[in-house]
Amino acid sequence: MYGRKACQLVKELASGEKGQLTPYNSDLSDQVIAECSQHHLELQSLIRKMQEEGLDVQTTRNADHYGALIHHLSLVRNKRCLMAYMYNRAEIIRSLIWKVGPVLPQQIQEKLSHTEEEYFKKHSGALQSYMSRLDLDLTVDMVPPKDPYIQVRVLDDIGVVLSDDKTTNFARHSMHFLKRTDAEQFISRGLMEELTS
Amino acid sequence: MASEAGEGSTAGMDDYETLISTTDVELLKKAWRNEKAAPEILRFETSLIQRIRGQIQLMEENIEEFAGSGIDPLTVSLYQMDLDRTQYLFRSYLRIRLQKIEKYMFHISKNPEVQSRLSEQEKGFAIRCADDMERHLEESVLSKLPDNYQDIVKQSIISEESDMIPEPQLDSFVVCKSRRFLGPFQLDGSDELLEMKPDELCIIHYKSIRERVQEGDIDLV
């Protein structure tokens, strides 16, 4: 019925955990779009009926007018729900760029639709271009610094990494004393953890 | 960042306070706090940011020199910590602004007054943001809808104005205080008068003190 499917779509959005995406429901959104076309056809046929009866479409207030109005309002509500669905998902996608970086892990990527993947890439590109124009990396330093150097334990094998002028071997379970900004990129990808003793 | 704007004077606590609080780092801290608390994006502090960048670079070079020249490592790490704090403030300031731009991209693109508050690079970013979002929404939803309903900011072509743009909530409450005594002044948009004593906290609608925050009379906390 009118607006129920769109409401379901929005409820799906609200039911996910905050900041997490649910898999993109292309079936439901296609159904909502099909409903919109349906409403539009009905709307047009009612308007045509009024015109054939010689009534002024702008000012007449009869049953057909109100029928057309209901179709219009349902259409507009469906549109709002659809756009809210896409817009809010896009918001979550943008927050992922800040949290996880320009490359998404497989489990998250599965939940995106094709256009959303495109949007993700484009927006990452926009951010990168802004940061390179300023010559500044804004994705480090996300928490206020307590110490300039922190102790970290390596969780996954990272191997040998070249930093500044020395190479360090980040083998699993090894502990290192690193500059905060250097370690942050590994910590945010879950490859290292900070030791706060 | 120990470059004071002037020595503490004996001309009274008021002047001393004002001098102490005008080091660039203090100004950055104030700008950062204001930006964090305000619901809308504030004016970009171009000259302050430029100076801070210069100072950060200078500090980085100094620290490298110190580290190499055998100065007590404790002193070096203290300078390093100070530098880190300043860098955090700097990056966080820019980040908060970017996130506000992302949030209100359509509002910004339709509003030249807001655009005038952005830096040049931010303007470019805002335009790209809005374009990307527009294309995304068009491809996934709007192009599949019936003809009169395809606009991105109007619900349908019979809407009288753009009714689908998310806008910053200017009447959200903020906590603010003033450093000086502010005689009874009129709140923006109403007839009420408000008086503020120095360092007294006040919880009020943002839009009532908007102008004063922009001029720097009132600080957000």
Side-chain angles (χ1 to χ4, degrees), chain B residues 34 37-42 100 117 169-174 188 203-211 213-214 220:
Chain B
N34 279 352
E40 58 172 357
I41 200 167
L42 301 172
K100 278 188 195 169
R117 296 185 224 150
Q169 299 277 32
L170 293 180
D171 50 6
S172 44
F173 281 98
V174 289
D188 297 339
I203 300 184
I204 199 171
H205 286 296
Y206 174 74
K207 67 180 181 203
S208 313
I209 50 161
R210 208 169 154 212
E211 298 260 336
V213 171
Q214 282 173 359
L220 300 178

Side-chain angles (χ1 to χ4, degrees), chain A residues 40 43 72 76 79-80 86-87 94 115 122-123 126 129 134 136-138 140-143 148, chain B residues 53 81 84 88 90-91 95 102-103 105 121 128-129 132-133 139-141 146 149 151 154-156:
Chain A
H40 191 62
L43 174 70
H72 165 76
V76 160
K79 174 178 177 181
R80 286 200 307 268
M86 301 305 301
Y87 195 76
R94 290 199 297 268
T115 12
K122 277 199 221 145
H123 192 79
S129 126
L134 284 188
L136 197 61
D137 188 355
L138 289 180
V140 294
D141 238 354
M142 300 288 272
V143 280
Chain B
R53 287 197 86 157
M81 276 174 71
D84 281 348
Y88 170 75
F90 181 57
R91 287 197 177 107
R95 258 202 300 271
E102 285 179 346
K103 205 167 177 197
M105 53 176 98
Q121 299 94 335
R128 267 184 88 161
C129 242
D132 289 343
M133 179 56 99
E139 266 187 50
S140 50
V141 170
Y149 298 86
D151 194 283
K154 293 210 179 112
Q155 290 190 71
S156 71

Side-chain angles (χ1 to χ4, degrees), chain B residues 51-125:
Chain B
R51 292 199 307 270
I52 293 270
R53 287 197 86 157
Q55 286 174 13
I56 286 183
Q57 199 155 5
L58 196 60
M59 219 31 198
E60 280 180 332
E61 289 168 11
N62 282 348
I63 288 186
E64 272 195 47
E65 263 186 56
F66 291 162
S69 73
I71 289 197
D72 176 21
L74 179 64
T75 318
V76 178
S77 75
L78 284 177
Y79 278 119
Q80 179 73 44
M81 276 174 71
D82 195 37
L83 177 63
D84 281 348
R85 284 202 199 108
T86 312
Q87 276 184 326
Y88 170 75
L89 282 179
F90 181 57
R91 287 197 177 107
S92 189
Y93 176 73
L94 293 172
R95 258 202 300 271
I96 294 172
R97 290 178 65 90
L98 278 189
Q99 286 166 352
K100 278 188 195 169
I101 295 178
E102 285 179 346
K103 205 167 177 197
Y104 300 118
M105 53 176 98
F106 290 124
H107 172 73
I108 291 178
S109 65
K110 306 272 178 207
N111 220 307
E113 193 273 316
V114 183
Q115 277 173 35
S116 68
R117 296 185 224 150
L118 304 181
S119 74
E120 283 309 311
Q121 299 94 335
E122 285 175 341
K123 282 186 196 151
F125 176 72

Side-chain angles (χ1 to χ4, degrees), chain A residues 4-64:
Chain A
R4 289 257 166 92
K5 296 212 176 90
C7 184
Q8 232 179 306
L9 204 57
V10 176
K11 275 202 200 133
E12 225 184 77
L13 190 63
S15 70
E17 265 177 54
K18 193 162 195 292
Q20 303 276 15
L21 280 176
T22 54
Y24 180 72
N25 198 335
S26 57
D27 282 337
L28 199 51
S29 64
D30 286 341
Q31 284 173 20
V32 176
I33 292 181
E35 247 189 52
C36 287
S37 311
Q38 191 66 18
H39 281 302
H40 191 62
L41 287 173
E42 304 269 352
L43 174 70
Q44 282 178 321
S45 79
L46 281 173
I47 301 266
R48 226 173 303 134
K49 180 162 174 264
M50 282 170 68
Q51 284 169 336
E52 281 164 14
E53 288 171 4
L55 301 166
D56 179 4
V57 175
Q58 302 278 5
T59 51
T60 321
R61 299 278 179 267
N62 64 354
D64 287 337

